[in-house]
Amino acid sequence: MVRAYAAEGARIASLDVLDDEGAQVAAAINERYPGAASFHHWDIADRAQVQAVFNEVAERMGGLD
């Protein structure tokens, strides 16, 4: 999904608990679409972490759609 959004020109924050895989996907996207993707560790079982990641990403990207 993140690859498809990047191909359409979106900036993406990819969130997952699988750090290695998530970082690899973001790196591959950025090779093709420089600066399009960032990866963030995100465990939906940790409510505080979910809120912190959303806040961080929204601040960096100037909001979320």
Side-chain angles (χ1 to χ4, degrees):
M1 182 179 286
V2 293
R3 288 182 178 105
Y5 279 116
E8 293 298 321
R11 288 185 7 197
I12 298 112
S14 178
L15 314 169
D16 206 324
V17 294
L18 302 175
D19 293 334
D20 292 337
E21 293 86 344
Q24 289 172 0
V25 169
I29 290 169
N30 286 325
E31 283 180 25
R32 187 160 185 186
Y33 310 102
S38 61
F39 172 74
H40 307 268
H41 179 85
W42 191 57
D43 181 355
I44 63 170
D46 183 340
R47 186 177 185 96
Q49 185 182 75
V50 168
Q51 190 61 49
V53 170
F54 267 92
N55 289 341
E56 175 187 346
V57 170
E59 186 176 321
R60 280 188 187 180
M61 298 178 87
L64 298 174
D65 293 333

